[in-house]
């Protein structure tokens, strides 16, 4: 980098430390790999990224690069078919890795448009297609880089469906002035409010293009999976859904997830499930009904058997399929968690939100049935009906401990980990 660089490039490079600038400056030569001319060809980009990133996302990156016009900071460049030059690549890297929402939004528009030209707007469907390619690329990178944190996608839910659901969830936060069209101001607002967009782009560029900056640390997109025997297990979650749900927790991705109950492993027993819910701190409850809807709730504290409501406003309900959503506390009441058994005068079962006989999520103590009576919405969490039918038949249940690992004394007492899971099988 020298004084011959445009003012736009010099301003962008000022965001990096001196040792980082040499890294940014060297990316173009590495990608070009001695190719002809002063531009970067799509084939060269594909050759560099092909092992990590799907071809469709590489093409979108190419058009994002071509959209930059150094010196004017706006989309559009004559002769884009020739390929982006060194300055365009440097601006692209700076805007993705250290840019603002206003700088990233034009790139999102160009990559959503996925062609030459200067789009003034893109459709919500185009943004969703861009997100599907971006999320798929991130999952590929996590897999190829060995950063799945102990999770096994081949024994989890459908990744392709999870990608579509996460892309739909993220695009649901778009606020277009026209119901079907997103202009630049709409995308700027969206990129600012939905941090995953910038985060996923950073992972794509930093790890996909192998841009090793001293000031950048790869974000933890998945929590660690510990003390889980995958031998006979297929779990309800998929990787993209986990990427969405884990950051919603108070500890984010920092606390490990440990499977403490699964109907697949331990059978259909409310007593076993209730035993697993205690002594583990915060837990994530996942259910699938007989018609395929997947949903559940996060309990911020350890469950207790008692005839009163418990928990706090950190609890939430969520849906996974057919839509991916989280429903947080409304403040209307404090009916966050309820767990009771063997009582004659009070309901026996597990509930979250609403009120007795009208829970946002309810599991009967006989374990085979439950309800989600939330019409029009649950008073506690504001969620709609989560199950396919108001009164549902249960197909599968999982309980994951998602808080900090228990104290050593608790582990020695046999209340967690694989030994505890084995004890559950004997109940």
């Amino acid at each position: 980098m020298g004084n011959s660089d445009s003012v736009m490039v010099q301003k962008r490079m000022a965001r990096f430390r001196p040792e980082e600038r040499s890294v940014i400056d060297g990316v173009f030569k590495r990608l070009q790999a001695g190719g002809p001319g002063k531009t970067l060809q799509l084939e060269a980009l594909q050759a560099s990224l092909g092992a990590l990133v799907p071809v469709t996302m590489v093409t979108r990156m190419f058009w994002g690069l071509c959209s930059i016009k150094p010196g004017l900071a706006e989309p559009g460049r004559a002769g884009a078919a020739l390929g982006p030059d060194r300055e365009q690549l440097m601006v692209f890297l700076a805007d993705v890795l250290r840019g603002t929402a206003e700088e990233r939004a034009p790139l999102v528009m160009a990559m959503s448009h996925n062609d030459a030209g200067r789009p003034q707007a893109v459709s919500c469907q185009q943004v969703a297609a861009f997100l599907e390619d971006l999320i798929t690329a991130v999952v590929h990178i996590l897999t190829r880089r060995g950063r799945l944190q102990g999770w096994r996608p081949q024994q989890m839910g459908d990744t392709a469906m999870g990608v579509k659901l996460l892309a739909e969830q993220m695009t649901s936060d778009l606020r277009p002035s026209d119901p079907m069209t997103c202009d630049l101001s709409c995308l700027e607002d969206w990129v600012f409010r939905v941090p995953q967009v910038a985060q996923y782009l950073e992972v794509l560029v930093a790890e996909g293009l192998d841009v090793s900056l001293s000031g950048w640390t790869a974000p933890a997109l998945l929590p660690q999976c510990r003390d889980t025997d995958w031998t006979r297990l297929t779990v309800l979650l998929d990787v993209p859904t986990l990427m969405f749900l884990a950051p919603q927790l108070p500890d984010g991705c920092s606390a490990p997830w440990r499977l403490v109950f699964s109907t697949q492993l331990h059978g259909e027993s409310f007593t076993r499930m209730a035993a697993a819910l205690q002594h583990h701190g915060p837990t994530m409850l996942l259910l699938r009904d007989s018609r395929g809807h997947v949903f559940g709730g996060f309990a911020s504290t350890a469950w207790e058997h008692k005839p009163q409501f418990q928990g706090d406003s950190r609890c939430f309900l969520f849906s996974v399929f057919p839509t991916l959503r989280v429903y947080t506390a409304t403040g209307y009441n404090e009916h966050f968690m309820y767990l009771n058994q063997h009582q004659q005068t009070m309901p026996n079962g597990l509930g979250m939100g609403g009120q007795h006989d009208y829970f946002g999520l309810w599991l009967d103590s006989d374990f085979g049935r439950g309800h989600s009576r939330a019409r029009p919405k649950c008073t506690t969490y504001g969620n709609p009906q989560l199950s396919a039918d108001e009164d549902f038949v249960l197909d599968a249940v999982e309980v994951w401990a998602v808080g900090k690992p228990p104290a050593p004394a608790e582990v020695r007492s046999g209340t967690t980990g694989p030994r505890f899971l084995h004890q559950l099988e004997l109940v």
Side-chain angles (χ1 to χ4, degrees):
M1 187 179 74
N3 293 331
S4 60
D5 290 324
S6 68
V7 174
M8 180 182 182
V9 170
Q10 292 183 40
K11 287 183 177 179
R12 293 298 203 278
M13 290 302 101
R15 301 170 183 173
F16 298 95
R17 299 171 183 171
E19 66 272 17
E20 293 176 329
R21 294 171 195 168
S22 61
V23 173
I24 296 293
D25 196 26
V27 174
F28 183 79
K29 288 183 180 180
R30 175 162 52 82
L31 292 177
Q32 197 182 33
K38 297 182 179 181
T39 59
L40 180 63
Q41 302 302 305
L42 176 59
E43 293 76 14
L45 199 60
Q46 289 173 340
S48 177
L49 289 164
L52 279 176
V53 179
V55 173
T56 51
M57 191 64 231
V58 177
T59 304
R60 291 184 185 277
M61 289 178 66
F62 179 79
W63 293 120
L65 284 160
C66 291
S67 72
I68 297 168
K69 188 173 183 180
L72 294 180
E74 64 181 28
R77 179 178 176 87
L82 299 175
D85 60 22
R86 170 181 164 277
E87 288 204 348
Q88 286 173 293
L89 177 63
M90 294 175 73
V91 172
F92 180 85
L93 295 176
D95 286 352
V96 169
L97 297 175
R98 300 282 170 85
T100 64
E102 290 76 14
E103 292 165 343
R104 287 166 171 155
L107 299 178
V108 170
M109 178 173 286
M111 288 187 281
S112 297
H113 181 63
N114 200 26
D115 204 344
R118 300 182 60 184
Q120 300 300 310
V122 289
S123 68
C124 294
Q125 290 79 6
Q126 286 177 301
V127 177
F130 156 71
L131 278 179
E132 288 183 21
D133 284 343
L134 177 60
I135 297 164
T136 300
V138 170
V139 174
H140 279 211
I141 289 171
L142 293 177
T143 303
R144 299 292 180 89
R145 296 292 193 194
R147 290 178 47 211
L148 289 173
Q149 302 283 63
W151 297 94
R152 300 186 182 182
Q154 68 274 19
Q155 291 174 254
M156 301 174 70
D158 184 354
T159 298
M161 178 57 68
V163 166
K164 289 183 178 293
L165 292 173
L166 179 53
E168 187 279 328
Q169 189 281 326
M170 291 173 67
T171 53
S172 70
D173 283 326
L174 286 166
R175 297 173 181 172
S177 53
D178 183 296
M180 300 300 293
T181 304
C182 304
D183 59 16
L184 197 56
S185 63
C186 170
L187 292 178
E188 289 175 2
D189 170 73
W190 179 65
V191 172
F192 179 78
R193 289 185 295 101
V194 182
Q196 298 102 309
V197 180
Q199 189 177 52
Y200 296 167
L201 282 172
E202 288 178 23
V203 170
L204 171 69
V205 170
E207 302 203 40
L209 294 178
D210 196 20
V211 183
S212 301
L213 300 179
S214 58
W216 189 81
T217 302
L221 299 181
L222 295 172
Q224 287 188 345
C225 179
R226 293 183 184 172
D227 303 330
T228 299
D229 183 2
W230 291 91
T231 306
R232 304 180 283 131
L233 185 64
T234 301
V235 302
L236 297 175
L237 288 175
D238 53 76
V239 171
T241 299
L242 190 60
M243 287 166 54
F244 170 71
L245 284 178
Q248 315 292 330
L249 305 181
D251 291 329
C253 293
S254 63
W257 286 40
R258 295 164 287 120
L259 184 68
V260 294
F261 177 81
S262 167
T263 49
Q264 186 180 9
L265 298 179
H266 310 119
E268 299 180 356
S269 168
F270 188 87
T271 300
R272 291 181 180 181
M273 184 194 72
L277 284 166
Q278 302 177 84
H279 312 299
H280 292 287
T283 49
M284 187 75 82
L285 174 69
L286 280 140
L287 300 85
R288 182 174 62 208
D289 67 23
S290 59
R291 293 185 57 187
H293 281 219
V294 181
F295 49 96
F298 165 67
S300 59
T301 61
W303 291 82
E304 298 180 59
H305 277 101
K306 60 182 181 181
Q308 295 88 29
F309 285 98
Q310 52 192 291
D312 57 39
S313 60
R314 295 174 297 170
C315 299
F316 59 78
L317 292 178
F318 59 89
S319 62
V320 171
F321 184 83
T323 56
L324 186 59
R325 296 288 189 276
V326 162
Y327 305 98
T328 56
T330 63
Y332 183 84
N333 57 40
E334 297 183 351
H335 298 173
F336 305 116
M337 302 158 52
Y338 176 90
L339 179 63
N340 208 4
Q341 197 174 7
H342 308 308
Q343 296 287 321
Q344 293 184 348
T345 58
M346 298 294 289
N348 291 310
L350 179 150
M352 294 188 73
Q355 59 188 14
H356 295 317
D357 297 324
Y358 292 92
F359 283 92
L361 170 60
W362 171 258
L363 274 181
D364 288 333
S365 60
D366 65 13
F367 205 75
R369 297 182 179 276
H371 72 244
S372 179
R373 295 174 183 159
R375 296 184 179 179
K377 291 184 178 181
C378 170
T379 54
T380 309
Y381 296 111
N383 61 282
Q385 179 178 304
L386 301 174
S387 49
D389 300 310
E390 186 176 90
D391 296 284
F392 62 85
V393 176
L394 195 61
D395 179 61
V397 176
E398 293 173 3
V399 177
W400 293 85
V402 295
K404 294 181 179 179
E410 191 174 356
V411 174
R412 288 194 298 269
S413 70
T415 58
T416 188
R419 181 181 176 186
F420 175 61
L421 292 181
H422 176 68
Q423 292 172 348
L424 281 178
E425 294 176 347
L426 301 179
V427 174

